Amino acid sequence: MEIKGYVDHIIYRKPENGYTVFILISEGDEITCVGSLPQIDQGDHLSIEGEEVLHPLYGSQIKVISYHMITPEDEESIERYLGSGAIKGVGPALAARIVKRFKKDTFRIIEQEPERLTEIKGISERIARQICDQMEEKRGMREVMVYLAGYGITGPMAIKIYDTYGPGTQAVMEENPYRLAEDISGIGFKMADDIASRMGIKTDSDYRIRSGILYTLLLAAAEGHVYLPKEILLRNTSYLLRVEPELIEIQLANLAMDKKLVMKTKEEKVQIYATSYYYAELNCAKMLWDLNGAVKIFSEEDDLMAKEYKGKLAEKIKLMEEALGMELDRLQQKAVVEAVCHGVFLLTGGPGTGKTTTINMMIRYFEREGLDIFLAAPTGRAAKRMTEATGFEAKTIHRLLELNGGVLEDTRKASFTRNQDNPLEADVIIIDEMSMVDIHLFQALLKAVTPGTRLILVGDVNQLPSVGPGQVLQDLIMSKSFATVSLQKIFRQATESDIVVNAHKIHQGEYPVFDNKSKDFFFLERNDVNIIYKHMIQLIKEKLPGYCKVTPFEIQVLTPMRKGSLGVLTLNKILQEYLNPGEETKEEYIQADTIFRVGDKVMQIKNNYQLEWEIVSKYNIPIDKGVGVFNGDMGIIREISQLQHTLTVEFDDMRRVVYPFSMLEELELAYAVTIHKSQGSEYPAVILPLLTGPKQLFNRNLLYTGVTRAKNCLTILGNKQTVWEMIENNNENERYTGLRERIREVEGVF
């Protein structure tokens, strides 16, 4: 249906996406309208195409499908628009005087002869110019919006484009629409390419090829690569653009000249970096060199002095062991000594090898020396575990660096209050779960650490690498440039856990014993998907809560895949139905094909550096607040407000975040999560469904990571042969990273 009228008032608007609820007056009737109309104001005259919908709470509404502005033509409408507040400084009384003077010619006078407004009492030349400028700005924005709509760009994306380029939007797009992909977060190459195609840009244009190259590198970064070998980049870009590799190769040199790319040659192989990724690695290498060289207790060339000093230090640590009732093995003692003697120290080891005990001794030693110690980990769960294990407060790395909320949406440009200009005031910084830290977060951390501070990096190098680009911990160890201790011995207490014992067997390529005589490691042979569903639900609802002394929500299903019958998407729908079924008293909201319901377990699936959170007391009084919710954070939906169009999640660390409905694409159900997403987390009980899957994904590394996520109980449901094949498959997906080469280059310079 088509309706014409004017906007009487706006009830609600979400600035992030322009979703608006407003009252339209049409032929004297008040009509409630909803839709994405970011640029409308009170008093605007509209022509709307829409459909009538029935909201369960608010009754009949018009859902706006499309609309366009229409110019008020009669004097009453012109006066109403000017006096509506759409033009700042013009109220109803002044609007009445302007229209009384210029009648139907009012808009022309304002736009073409604004100086004549001074004929009206109360309007100076300055005010006249302001009125003209506002009218011009609104007209310019509307013209841009109409222009963008012609290429299928509307709503929040159109606002982003206008906010970036302003009235010059049309000129930018006509010159090079691929700039959209470079300049505006949320507009990828494919969207820009579609717009360019509609504008008649040729498939082999220089702009398209250059943008396609950068997009291919961006896709590679999403898979963990920091660079791509030249031949792979040419192949992938050629496939994407459907143009010959020779045309692409020409543009590599042009992009390098424009400093958009960096090309490095290693053993006659050319590595192609996006510039920001290359300098992230190079900056990290330089900062690590400075940190490591700043702590010089003795000359490395003086072996005798080093041996004597370390011997005395070991004796001191032995006395501390006795006083504290702790017992370290030879490698643990060595780790503490090396951490004291170096600016950068790496500690690695599998489950049960005593990393936590070693960290605790380091903390006690540095504390006795009167040094300030900071502890941190990449995720809230990992930080919480670190706090519980050490008795010292541990923060997420983002909180340690004091994330600044006023940042761009591009996660690579996250802004932290703690940086090179405002460094962390610490003598020792210990970071746990380093295998999860990507190159960008590592660079941000190093910027905030001043030379003279000891940086101790701890992690299990055999875990899956970070979700983001890079494999920082592995590259640091393989560079052989920093003192490193790899703990090997499984301690007696840990040997009582078959989870720990079998994790080490899997890592070494050995088969676990599946006789179900264990107290914490079980295998149930199930070869039918529907039987797996049935027994998974039985385990979560009936068997494991009593056995492990946990609630069903503390039991975590981990799976290798997102799609498929045993993938995250399918499992979450099934588990939600049985663990948190719908009830009349439970509020819920449907987003795409996902039902979000009060009581659901959910996960944040992307870093959002601007989301605000707060922690409230039992009396609902805020006691802490901040910004930033991160990929992998898990929580429970506590409230859904249809009136305010919001959903409230309480995360594991008691942070409460209010999500507008428009941002629910950042959340997904988390009864089941991928093993990749579980990194850095530990759950009381874990269920692993393993039936069939792609060989490149079903490998030893993935199985090892999944098993080590379980603290007290692990149950594998599936096919034994699949588990054997995963153990045999030690082919990890190669990541193209160059941090170790950058470290060696820096060493060569100095």
Side-chain angles (χ1 to χ4, degrees), residues 295-312:
V295 177
K296 290 186 177 180
I297 296 175
F298 48 78
S299 172
E300 291 288 351
E301 289 76 25
D302 194 335
D303 293 337
L304 185 61
M305 182 182 290
K307 188 174 181 180
E308 182 180 340
Y309 181 86
K310 289 183 178 181
K312 289 180 180 179

Side-chain angles (χ1 to χ4, degrees), residues 284 288 437-446 457 472 476:
C284 285
L288 285 165
V437 176
D438 65 29
I439 192 66
H440 296 302
L441 185 57
F442 191 50
Q443 178 180 223
L445 172 67
L446 292 177
L457 307 175
V472 172
L476 292 178

Side-chain angles (χ1 to χ4, degrees), residues 484-739:
T484 303
V485 170
S486 178
L487 301 177
Q488 303 294 336
K489 177 184 174 182
I490 305 176
F491 283 84
R492 181 177 54 80
Q493 304 95 307
T495 60
E496 297 174 4
S497 167
D498 287 320
I499 294 173
V500 171
V501 172
N502 285 328
H504 284 275
K505 283 186 174 182
I506 290 167
H507 171 58
Q508 293 160 10
E510 301 173 11
Y511 297 163
V513 177
F514 285 164
D515 58 8
N516 288 336
K517 293 179 181 179
S518 169
K519 294 181 181 179
D520 62 3
F521 192 98
F522 304 99
F523 177 82
L524 303 179
E525 182 83 37
R526 303 291 185 268
N527 294 302
D528 182 283
V529 168
N530 291 313
I531 298 298
I532 290 177
Y533 294 155
K534 177 183 175 182
H535 288 178
M536 185 185 298
I537 292 163
Q538 283 182 342
L539 285 168
I540 296 173
K541 293 189 71 175
E542 302 168 18
K543 306 292 185 183
L544 292 179
Y547 183 76
C548 300
K549 295 181 174 53
V550 295
T551 66
F553 274 52
E554 292 178 283
I555 301 165
Q556 188 61 54
V557 176
L558 301 181
T559 176
M561 304 169 293
R562 284 192 57 79
K563 297 181 179 179
S565 55
L566 290 177
V568 163
L569 300 178
T570 300
L571 288 176
N572 272 320
K573 289 182 179 180
I574 294 170
L575 293 171
Q576 181 192 44
E577 182 180 344
Y578 285 92
L579 299 179
N580 189 32
E583 299 174 6
E584 286 187 11
T585 57
K586 280 185 187 175
E587 285 284 357
E588 59 183 47
Y589 180 77
I590 300 175
Q591 168 81 8
D593 60 349
T594 299
I595 299 173
F596 289 106
R597 187 175 292 140
V598 170
D600 275 337
K601 180 158 56 168
V602 292
M603 173 183 279
Q604 174 81 11
I605 59 171
K606 63 180 286 189
N607 288 340
N608 187 316
Y609 297 102
Q610 293 175 304
L611 262 180
E612 297 179 356
W613 55 262
E614 67 177 14
I615 298 174
V616 298
S617 69
K618 62 180 180 179
Y619 302 108
N620 213 34
I621 298 172
I623 56 177
D624 195 9
K625 62 182 180 179
V627 294
V629 184
F630 307 107
N631 192 352
D633 285 355
M634 294 177 67
I636 303 292
I637 297 176
R638 296 301 186 195
E639 182 182 347
I640 295 176
S641 172
Q642 302 289 353
L643 180 64
Q644 297 179 351
H645 294 76
T646 59
L647 178 152
T648 302
V649 177
E650 184 178 287
F651 288 96
D652 289 334
D653 47 7
M654 306 303 291
R655 291 175 301 150
R656 285 194 170 227
V657 176
V658 178
Y659 290 81
F661 287 166
S662 60
M663 292 181 64
L664 293 186
E665 71 275 2
E666 295 190 11
L667 286 176
E668 68 180 21
L669 297 176
Y671 299 99
V673 302
T674 63
I675 294 172
H676 278 87
K677 289 283 189 183
S678 73
Q679 286 176 268
S681 297
E682 189 177 67
Y683 310 97
V686 167
I687 297 174
L688 275 176
L690 299 171
L691 199 53
T692 58
K695 187 173 181 180
Q696 68 179 54
L697 181 62
F698 275 53
N699 57 39
R700 184 189 302 175
N701 192 215
L702 188 87
L703 179 61
Y704 173 82
T705 301
V707 168
T708 55
R709 298 308 89 205
K711 183 178 181 181
N712 301 322
C713 183
L714 174 77
T715 305
I716 298 177
L717 280 171
N719 183 282
K720 193 176 293 182
Q721 185 62 36
T722 297
V723 178
W724 298 159
E725 290 173 358
M726 291 180 76
I727 294 170
E728 293 291 342
N729 180 13
N730 198 28
N731 296 321
E732 299 176 34
N733 294 328
E734 181 181 4
R735 284 197 171 193
Y736 297 113
T737 66
L739 181 57

Side-chain angles (χ1 to χ4, degrees), residues 261-275:
L261 295 182
V262 172
M263 295 193 278
K264 299 289 290 184
T265 302
K266 179 190 175 186
E267 298 173 357
E268 299 183 359
K269 297 278 188 180
V270 179
Q271 304 168 346
I272 312 291
Y273 285 84
T275 301

Side-chain angles (χ1 to χ4, degrees), residues 6 45 72-83 99 104:
Y6 67 89
H45 284 64
E73 296 179 349
D74 61 275
E75 294 177 23
E76 181 183 351
S77 297
I78 294 171
E79 181 180 330
R80 186 189 303 116
Y81 174 75
L82 288 176
V99 174
K104 292 183 179 181

Side-chain angles (χ1 to χ4, degrees), residues 179-372:
R179 274 188 60 183
L180 298 177
E182 295 183 40
D183 297 342
I184 302 173
S185 174
I187 297 185
F189 170 80
K190 290 188 176 180
M191 182 182 291
D193 199 35
D194 181 56
I195 295 167
S197 176
R198 296 185 193 185
M199 296 178 71
I201 303 292
K202 293 182 180 179
T203 57
D204 61 352
S205 77
D206 291 351
Y207 288 137
R208 181 171 187 263
I209 293 173
R210 288 159 66 106
S211 185
I213 292 168
L214 296 175
Y215 178 65
T216 302
L217 288 172
L218 189 63
L219 291 178
E223 296 177 357
H225 304 297
V226 180
Y227 73 85
L228 280 180
K230 180 179 176 181
E231 61 274 14
I232 294 178
L233 176 62
L234 292 176
R235 182 194 69 199
N236 292 356
T237 309
S238 176
Y239 179 80
L240 171 75
L241 301 180
R242 296 290 190 265
V243 299
E244 293 302 316
E246 292 77 13
L247 294 175
I248 298 167
E249 190 164 6
I250 294 170
Q251 296 304 325
L252 291 179
N254 292 333
L255 284 168
M257 289 178 62
D258 289 345
K259 301 189 185 313
K260 297 288 182 68
L261 295 182
V262 172
M263 295 193 278
K264 299 289 290 184
T265 302
K266 179 190 175 186
E267 298 173 357
E268 299 183 359
K269 297 278 188 180
V270 179
Q271 304 168 346
I272 312 291
Y273 285 84
T275 301
S276 64
Y277 286 86
Y278 173 76
Y279 284 104
E281 286 192 337
L282 185 60
N283 290 339
C284 285
K286 289 178 178 177
M287 289 185 285
L288 285 165
W289 174 267
D290 291 341
L291 286 176
N292 204 36
V295 177
K296 290 186 177 180
I297 296 175
F298 48 78
S299 172
E300 291 288 351
E301 289 76 25
D302 194 335
D303 293 337
L304 185 61
M305 182 182 290
K307 188 174 181 180
E308 182 180 340
Y309 181 86
K310 289 183 178 181
K312 289 180 180 179
L313 194 53
E315 290 175 9
K316 188 175 181 180
I317 291 166
K318 190 66 179 175
L319 291 173
M320 287 182 61
E321 290 180 53
E322 294 171 3
L324 295 168
M326 300 173 70
E327 186 177 348
L328 275 61
D329 73 356
R330 182 185 60 81
L331 280 176
Q332 289 176 305
Q333 288 177 355
K334 181 183 178 184
V336 179
V337 170
E338 297 295 335
V340 172
C341 295
H342 294 88
V344 177
F345 173 70
L346 312 175
L347 177 65
T348 185
T353 56
K355 294 194 298 294
T356 299
T357 301
T358 308
I359 292 171
N360 275 324
M361 180 55 82
M362 291 176 184
I363 292 171
R364 269 61 187 181
Y365 176 87
F366 290 125
E367 187 182 26
R368 287 196 177 190
E369 294 295 309
L371 303 183
D372 292 326

